[in-house]
Amino acid sequence: MDRGGVPTIAELMALLATKAAEVEALAAERDSLARRILKLEEELALARLHRFAPRSEKHLDRVFNEAEQSSLEDDTDDGHDDVDEPVAADLPDTGLPEARKPEGKKRGRKALPADLPRQRVEYDLADDQKVCPCCSERMHRMGEVVTEQLHIEVKATVLQNARAKYACRNCDRTGIATPIVIAPMPAQPLPGSIATASTLAFALVHKYVDGTPLYRLAQTFERAGVPVSRGALGRWVIASSERHLHRIFDAMKLRLRSQDVIHGDETTVQVLKEEGKAPTSTSYMWAYRSSEDSEQPIVLFDYQPGRGQEHPQAFLGDYRGILMSDGYTAWRTLKGATHLGCMAHARRRFADALKARKKQGGPPAQALKFFDQLYRIERQARDEIPDERETQASYMRRFRQKHSVPVLDVLKAWLDDIAPKVVPDTKLGDAVSYTLNQWEYLTRYVEDGRMPIDNNLLERDIRVFATGRKSWLFCDTVDGARASAVTYSLMLTCRACGVEPLAWLRHVLTELPQRPHDADIDDLLPFNFERQA
């Protein structure tokens, strides 16, 4: 500044540079806050949808007309979006035939199953009512009107096991010690317990199939006039697993490792009394499943205290087949397996991005068109029956190479084009980043007809566990968690095999106590039980 108090040119330039830097910093802060607000708005929108809206991933109600959508976006654009400009891409024409329309469901009440036993109840007119109201002559019986109703009774009975006792009268007379021989009875599932195999099966099915907590199951027994404590029910569950059901589990585990395709995933579970862990800590159920086309469907749950890579490594060992999982890195540490990525996980991210947008349509809807086309191709490939000279796997591969590969090529080019324009740390940015990072695993399924496109098959099984978890909330002990893992495995395997779980459990809990631990139990496995029925 000179003697007159006027700033010099150098000082003015320095002040201007300082102000410019401040403006630039404010602009950067504004952009950061705008992105933060956008992310929070997306999270809030998804949280509201998760709480109040249907959770189906179908978005038929969001199919939009591109011309109308473009016009709408021009009119309502507020300058805040997760991509600079819409990027459109057309689906390639691969000559995919039109999908067959499913036959409509027949309306009306379904007839009761013909294999249910019928109990005939007859109703007749009184003698004084068998007179014609017109001419007062005696009427004759010309037929009957038969209607059917479903009648269910649930009642408990007590089995009195009367075992004959024998002694020797000659020994009685001669004064020699008299031997007493008691007729043996078949070995029981839980010696000394009041529970029969049928009672244990009833309790296990109610807890692990119907999702009934043990305290409510105890109330059910009490209403039937049989007071059974929750503690006793818990001991029945754990003892049934440790004494008998784990033998079925171990046999199925060996067979699962020999299958060509295995699905893998994990879900959380809370265990209150676990050494070295707080009651509020999170443990995991690791889930494994055979392929949808397997001749021996198997679903197995394995309880573990953590989510480390050592758990799938110990369970699957040196597995050399095809392993379908999500993007979690613990699964990818199995070096000998051929790894696949779950296309449904990628699609789900774009579905979330679409739900979180204020304006429907745009890039998320464009991406969902690609995914929907890929799934349409899968449905049609499974519906078609190959000729006798071609296996189903070979036909699936050929169909995918013709129709799926061109769609994937266009999708990859579209993702590469849109990736630089997507705002990071948004739902759309996360969807694009995840899909590109997992691209090698997501697209590998087109190379082999045995490979599944996604992990939805196992996720549907895990949903049964998650539904039950909402009722019983947690496991009390590690033994209870392991027993739950074993029993859920067997119940879900029965479901996969189309076997009625109550009948199967009754049979297994009756037969297993009679067989030594080294005996062959192949005939008791769920997929073999179905063939016997």
Side-chain angles (χ1 to χ4, degrees):
M1 186 175 295
D2 59 14
R3 295 178 181 177
V6 179
T8 64
I9 295 177
E11 291 173 335
L12 290 173
M13 294 297 294
L15 180 61
L16 183 61
T18 301
K19 295 297 182 182
E22 291 177 356
V23 170
E24 185 176 351
L26 289 172
E29 184 179 1
R30 181 202 63 192
D31 293 340
S32 175
L33 290 174
R35 289 194 295 270
R36 177 66 175 166
I37 290 171
L38 177 61
K39 181 180 180 181
L40 292 175
E41 286 178 341
E42 289 181 335
E43 296 290 350
L44 179 60
L46 283 178
R48 286 174 173 170
L49 287 171
H50 184 76
R51 184 175 181 182
F52 299 112
R55 299 189 185 182
S56 173
E57 294 181 5
K58 296 180 180 180
H59 67 290
L60 297 177
D61 56 325
R62 294 186 169 185
V63 173
F64 63 99
N65 178 278
E66 292 185 1
E68 294 177 0
Q69 183 64 31
S70 298
S71 174
L72 180 62
E73 289 182 357
D74 291 340
D75 293 339
T76 61
D77 190 7
D78 57 2
H80 297 289
D81 204 351
D82 46 10
V83 65
D84 291 342
E85 61 181 12
V87 180
D90 295 329
L91 294 173
D93 184 6
T94 62
L96 185 69
E98 289 294 327
R100 300 174 184 174
K101 293 184 179 180
E103 296 182 2
K105 295 183 179 179
K106 295 182 179 179
R107 295 185 178 182
R109 180 190 300 167
K110 294 182 179 179
L112 294 173
D115 58 342
L116 289 179
R118 260 62 177 177
Q119 179 180 351
R120 185 178 175 87
V121 181
E122 295 188 355
Y123 302 91
D124 201 353
L125 295 174
D127 289 340
D128 59 348
Q129 294 177 328
K130 297 179 182 178
V131 178
C132 178
C134 179
C135 64
S136 301
E137 290 293 324
R138 188 78 175 173
M139 292 190 295
H140 70 281
R141 181 166 177 165
M142 59 175 292
E144 61 185 10
V145 177
V146 178
T147 59
E148 292 189 333
Q149 294 176 297
L150 183 62
H151 179 68
I152 298 177
E153 289 183 357
V154 179
K155 59 182 179 180
T157 58
V158 177
L159 296 183
Q160 291 185 333
N161 300 302
R163 303 165 60 190
K165 297 171 62 176
Y166 290 86
C168 177
R169 293 194 182 279
N170 182 56
C171 292
D172 283 342
R173 288 191 297 268
T174 58
I176 303 175
T178 303
I180 298 177
V181 180
I182 303 176
M185 63 180 292
Q188 297 299 298
L190 303 181
S193 171
I194 64 171
T196 64
S198 180
T199 304
L200 295 175
F202 177 85
L204 291 170
V205 166
H206 269 267
K207 177 171 173 58
Y208 295 105
V209 178
D210 301 329
T212 306
L214 290 182
Y215 80 90
R216 289 213 302 262
L217 187 56
Q219 294 171 355
T220 302
F221 275 94
E222 189 170 358
R223 286 195 302 270
V226 186
V228 179
S229 68
R230 180 169 58 175
L233 289 171
R235 290 190 291 272
W236 290 358
V237 169
I238 294 174
S240 297
S241 170
E242 292 179 344
R243 284 175 171 267
H244 306 296
L245 300 183
H246 78 91
R247 296 171 62 186
I248 303 290
F249 180 92
D250 293 340
M252 293 197 303
K253 182 178 176 180
L254 291 175
R255 283 157 180 77
L256 180 67
R257 287 175 174 176
S258 65
Q259 300 216 7
D260 293 337
V261 180
I262 293 179
H263 294 254
D265 204 350
E266 71 284 339
T267 188
T268 59
V269 65
Q270 184 180 357
V271 179
L272 298 184
K273 300 172 184 175
E274 186 165 14
E275 185 177 355
K277 297 188 69 174
T280 56
S281 61
T282 300
S283 299
Y284 290 87
M285 285 287 186
W286 292 76
Y288 307 83
R289 198 202 195 283
S290 58
S291 69
E292 187 173 11
D293 301 325
S294 173
E295 294 183 356
Q296 297 182 346
I298 296 173
V299 184
L300 297 181
F301 279 28
D302 179 38
Y303 169 76
Q304 295 295 343
R307 204 184 178 204
Q309 65 187 35
E310 65 273 14
H311 304 307
Q313 290 173 356
F315 193 91
L316 295 178
D318 58 348
Y319 180 66
R320 302 288 178 179
I322 299 165
L323 180 59
M324 161 60 75
S325 65
D326 56 19
Y328 183 44
T329 54
W331 295 102
R332 304 279 164 81
T333 60
L334 283 94
K335 302 300 183 182
T338 301
H339 293 279
L340 303 178
C342 177
M343 191 70 75
H345 275 72
R347 183 193 181 279
R348 199 169 296 142
R349 281 170 162 78
F350 284 100
D352 287 344
L354 181 63
K355 294 174 184 176
R357 283 172 63 93
K358 294 180 180 179
K359 304 169 296 181
Q360 297 308 310
Q366 174 67 52
L368 291 177
K369 282 188 173 182
F370 286 107
F371 288 108
D372 292 348
Q373 182 70 358
L374 291 172
Y375 276 95
R376 178 189 167 196
I377 293 168
E378 289 298 299
R379 287 192 297 270
Q380 291 196 221
R382 289 199 170 275
D383 290 342
E384 296 293 332
I385 301 177
D387 57 38
E388 298 178 354
R389 297 170 295 178
E390 189 174 25
T391 63
Q392 182 68 31
S394 175
Y395 175 79
M396 286 285 291
R397 182 187 184 281
R398 181 167 58 82
F399 199 88
R400 287 169 171 173
Q401 290 290 322
K402 180 179 179 181
H403 300 290
S404 299
V405 170
V407 177
L408 290 169
D409 291 341
V410 176
L411 174 58
K412 180 63 164 60
W414 181 80
L415 290 171
D416 290 337
D417 186 23
I418 198 177
K421 306 172 185 178
V422 173
V423 178
D425 207 18
T426 61
K427 292 299 178 184
L428 180 58
D430 171 69
V432 172
S433 175
Y434 175 87
T435 306
L436 288 175
N437 290 339
Q438 298 290 322
W439 189 256
E440 176 186 358
Y441 303 106
L442 293 173
T443 59
R444 187 171 285 166
Y445 77 98
V446 299
E447 300 172 3
D448 191 330
R450 299 171 300 167
M451 295 180 175
I453 188 174
D454 59 33
N455 213 15
N456 283 348
L457 184 67
L458 180 56
E459 289 185 2
R460 287 193 290 270
D461 292 323
I462 291 178
R463 194 174 298 126
V464 175
F465 174 82
T467 301
R469 185 177 56 199
K470 291 181 180 179
S471 298
W472 44 259
L473 300 179
F474 52 79
C475 294
D476 187 46
T477 64
V478 172
D479 289 341
R482 288 173 179 161
S484 292
V486 169
T487 312
Y488 266 116
S489 299
L490 304 186
M491 296 299 92
L492 289 169
T493 299
C494 282
R495 189 178 81 154
C497 296
V499 170
E500 205 285 303
L502 183 63
W504 179 81
L505 270 176
R506 274 200 300 254
H507 178 68
V508 165
L509 290 173
T510 301
E511 285 291 322
L512 277 176
Q514 321 303 324
R515 304 192 187 188
H517 280 275
D518 57 352
D520 181 21
I521 58 173
D522 279 2
D523 59 305
L524 300 180
L525 302 183
F527 38 81
N528 292 330
F529 180 80
E530 181 184 24
R531 293 165 189 163
Q532 291 178 347

